[in-house]
Amino acid sequence: MKRASTSAQTSSKTAGSMNGGLARIAARCTSRAPRGWCVSRRQTVMMSAANAPDSDSKKGPGSVGALKVVQTLERTVERVGSKQFSLSFATRPAKKQRVVILGTGWGAARLAKELDMGSYDLTVVSPRNHMVFTPLLASTTVGTLDFRSVAVSIRSLQPALGLEPNHFYTAKAKAVDPEAQTVTCISDEGSEFEVQYDKLAIATGAQGSTFNIPGVDEYALPLRDVADASAIKDKLIKNIAKSQIPGTQEAERRRLLNFVIVGGGPTGVEFAGELSNLVKEDLARAVPQVSCSVRITLIEARDILGSFNPDLRLYASRILSKSGVEIVKAQVKEVKETSVVLSDGSEIEHGLLVWSTGVGPTPFITSLPFGKSQDGRLAVDEFQRVEDMEGNAVENVYSLGDCACNTLNPLPTTAQVAEQQGKWLSKHINDQCQPQEDEPEPFKYTHLGQMSAMTTGSAVTDLGGGSGTPQLSFSGFLSWLSWRAVYLTKLGSFQNKLYVLLNWSTSQMMGRDLSRW
């Protein structure tokens, strides 16, 4: 009896030990382990059970029960592990092609916004993490709008940039290797790194052209970015403050308050109008002794707003003249620290000089191993593909915006052109992931018109005029309302639209807050 009792206890302990081991094996196998691993463990356990000593427990009920548990549990574990492994393998996404966009201007932002993120991975490389809404940039220089109102975050336009495996790098592109399909980039700290691409879109824009006039880089301020607008605003307010310091000579005081703009395009005209609004609506009320001494001069070699209807040019000139803006028709020969030398030898003193003329290629664009147009931009074909030195299209490398030019059909360097190119290129690249029966349509620009505001309540508008469509031109208060409505709807996000609406309302009702400057 004692021997039988000992044998039963031994069998019970053996079964308990084996069941505990099986539980541990089951836990391991259900943690998404491959099927082969589970099979090997089952074979090991069953071999151990088969080779166990049978002197006391081979024919015992505990041993038989334990062996059945082994077989039942291991078959279950094998099925579960196999199912989990097959599901994981089936849902793993295939590798997508990577689109790399250089820049965050109008064309690049539109391309990034409308790229099919279900078909492509995206990398954007740019020294700034936002798109600048340039038509409203002049308004930020005098405090009509806040800077954040015209800076549209690239991540708000394309939220997928915040998710892996997409990336945004705050850096500048330095070189492109079309054979290795890599872009060499350099960060603000000077470190270099490479980005691999399957498709590349070069949209780094252009820089203001100085026409090799001496002194422009040293003494003139451009107006192309938020940083430029901030520098202009800072110097404008400093000059107003300096002019009120006791002991300042009258000649120096008048020079500090001489604001000169070179360039009579939309940007120059709108900046002149914003300065006029500042003087009439804010300085005249806050510091009248300063407002009466301010002088605003607009220098243009030809007619201002030269691309507009002749009647609108005349209207704009008349409105600016009535608002205190002096329009000088001349060419700039040299820029000095305190004056501008004109082609006839005369000089105009300046306390603030804003340079708003044409644009030219950047050093990065000039250095690229691709074909160039006569004005130095990247030569592209009708599908926005860059061309090599022999004029052949380079596959999977595109260019758009101010840095690109179709030599057979040159287009102006405007935001409207860049945005339409970005919209077309996004569709063109997205369509490449789908089977296409028809040949792709080349890019075709549609001129929608142009607008420019002067002073409060005055603007000029040219609608249509492209591809044989009739042109509608109008000016005045209705044009000014249209200008505001159109650009408000064009802003990239609801947040920016709200900012602009609030800024316009507070500036109109309470004036510009000079204390914030």
Side-chain angles (χ1 to χ4, degrees):
M1 292 292 295
K2 185 176 181 180
R3 180 178 179 86
S5 175
T6 302
S7 177
Q9 290 176 0
T10 302
S11 299
S12 176
K13 290 181 180 179
T14 301
S17 176
M18 293 183 69
N19 286 334
L22 287 174
R24 289 192 295 272
I25 294 173
R28 293 177 184 175
C29 288
T30 54
S31 61
R32 300 181 63 88
R35 179 176 179 178
W37 186 90
C38 295
V39 171
S40 63
R41 287 289 188 263
R42 184 177 70 133
Q43 292 172 344
T44 302
V45 173
M46 292 188 67
M47 288 175 61
S48 299
N51 296 330
D54 57 357
S55 57
D56 295 324
S57 59
K58 182 177 181 180
K59 295 182 181 180
S63 176
V64 175
L67 184 59
K68 291 183 179 179
V69 170
V70 168
Q71 295 173 342
T72 302
L73 286 180
E74 287 301 335
R75 282 196 297 268
T76 303
V77 169
E78 180 180 356
R79 287 196 300 270
V80 172
S82 176
K83 181 179 180 182
Q84 288 186 348
F85 178 76
S86 62
L87 284 175
S88 174
F89 181 81
T91 57
R92 187 173 63 185
K95 182 180 179 181
K96 297 183 290 187
Q97 287 191 331
R98 179 165 298 276
V99 176
V100 174
I101 303 174
L102 306 182
T104 51
W106 282 83
R110 188 63 183 265
L111 172 58
K113 179 181 180 181
E114 300 192 4
L115 188 69
D116 182 5
M117 300 308 298
S119 302
Y120 294 101
D121 293 331
L122 175 62
T123 297
V124 178
V125 180
S126 176
R128 67 187 191 194
N129 63 355
H130 58 273
M131 184 201 83
V132 178
F133 196 79
T134 48
L136 298 179
L137 189 59
S139 298
T140 65
T141 60
V142 297
T144 305
L145 297 178
D146 290 335
F147 295 122
R148 65 178 180 177
S149 299
V150 301
V152 185
S153 170
I154 191 66
R155 286 190 173 93
S156 69
L157 295 176
Q158 181 48 267
L161 281 173
L163 305 173
E164 290 288 346
N166 308 304
H167 306 286
F168 173 81
Y169 298 129
T170 306
K172 291 183 179 180
K174 182 179 179 182
V176 175
D177 187 343
E179 294 185 359
Q181 292 190 320
T182 59
V183 180
T184 302
C185 306
I186 182 168
S187 68
D188 293 339
E189 292 74 25
S191 60
E192 292 190 3
F193 59 95
E194 287 189 348
V195 175
Q196 194 82 28
Y197 69 84
D198 295 296
K199 299 182 187 296
L200 174 66
I202 304 173
T204 52
Q207 63 182 7
S209 179
T210 64
F211 305 103
N212 297 319
I213 297 174
V216 174
D217 291 330
E218 293 82 1
Y219 306 119
L221 296 176
L223 182 53
R224 296 184 56 80
D225 206 340
V226 172
D228 300 333
S230 179
I232 292 171
K233 184 178 180 182
D234 182 61
K235 189 165 186 178
L236 178 67
I237 301 308
K238 284 183 177 179
N239 282 12
I240 293 174
K242 287 179 181 179
S243 69
Q244 302 176 68
I245 299 297
T248 303
Q249 297 294 322
E250 183 62 22
E252 176 64 9
R253 180 173 176 274
R254 291 187 177 277
R255 184 193 69 80
L256 288 170
L257 298 176
N258 282 354
F259 305 138
V260 178
I261 305 107
V262 179
T267 300
V269 167
E270 289 175 357
F271 177 60
E274 289 288 349
L275 276 177
S276 176
N277 290 338
L278 172 69
V279 173
K280 293 187 305 179
E281 299 172 4
D282 294 273
L283 294 185
R285 182 183 67 254
V287 278
Q289 68 275 18
V290 171
S291 65
C292 62
S293 300
V294 171
R295 179 185 175 190
I296 304 172
T297 304
L298 178 61
I299 302 175
E300 171 57 49
R302 302 178 180 86
D303 294 334
I304 65 170
L305 300 178
S307 60
F308 281 72
N309 182 295
D311 293 335
L312 297 184
R313 298 181 217 162
L314 184 61
Y315 172 83
S317 299
R318 186 170 65 251
I319 290 295
L320 289 177
S321 297
K322 288 183 178 180
S323 302
V325 178
E326 180 183 359
I327 301 176
V328 177
K329 198 170 185 178
Q331 290 183 335
V332 176
K333 182 180 179 181
E334 183 183 358
V335 175
K336 298 181 180 180
E337 185 176 3
T338 59
S339 65
V340 176
V341 182
L342 304 182
S343 55
D344 60 1
S346 61
E347 294 189 24
I348 299 176
E349 289 188 323
H350 67 81
L352 169 68
L353 176 61
V354 175
W355 197 264
S356 178
T357 59
V359 297
T362 62
F364 168 68
I365 294 297
T366 304
S367 69
L368 293 179
F370 303 121
K372 309 293 193 306
S373 62
Q374 290 184 349
D375 57 2
R377 293 187 284 171
L378 292 177
V380 298
D381 64 4
E382 66 274 20
F383 295 99
Q384 298 302 129
R385 296 175 299 185
V386 302
E387 298 177 352
D388 59 20
M389 297 300 183
E390 288 74 35
N392 301 313
V394 180
E395 292 297 329
N396 297 324
V397 180
Y398 305 89
S399 185
L400 62 161
D402 293 354
C403 63
C405 177
N406 186 332
T407 55
L408 299 179
N409 183 28
L411 295 172
T413 54
T414 63
Q416 184 178 170
V417 173
E419 185 183 30
Q420 289 189 28
Q421 288 174 341
K423 180 180 180 180
W424 177 89
L425 186 56
S426 64
K427 182 179 183 304
H428 180 69
I429 293 178
N430 291 340
D431 288 346
Q432 292 178 7
C433 288
Q434 306 296 331
Q436 299 293 318
E437 298 180 357
D438 301 328
E439 291 294 325
E441 292 289 334
F443 170 72
K444 185 178 180 181
Y445 171 64
T446 301
H447 184 68
L448 302 177
Q450 50 191 342
M451 314 176 82
S452 180
M454 279 79 67
T455 59
T456 302
S458 299
V460 291
T461 302
D462 267 338
L463 294 180
S467 303
T469 59
Q471 187 178 52
L472 174 63
S473 300
F474 57 101
S475 58
F477 185 73
L478 177 61
S479 177
W480 181 75
L481 287 179
S482 301
W483 177 84
R484 286 201 163 188
V486 168
Y487 286 138
L488 184 63
T489 57
K490 282 287 186 179
L491 278 165
S493 68
F494 174 78
Q495 175 178 297
N496 289 88
K497 294 175 183 179
L498 182 60
Y499 284 157
V500 169
L501 276 176
L502 291 175
N503 290 165
W504 278 341
S505 300
T506 54
S507 296
Q508 190 69 32
M509 293 185 295
M510 296 178 285
R512 297 164 181 85
D513 186 5
L514 304 183
S515 64
R516 292 187 299 170
W517 298 359

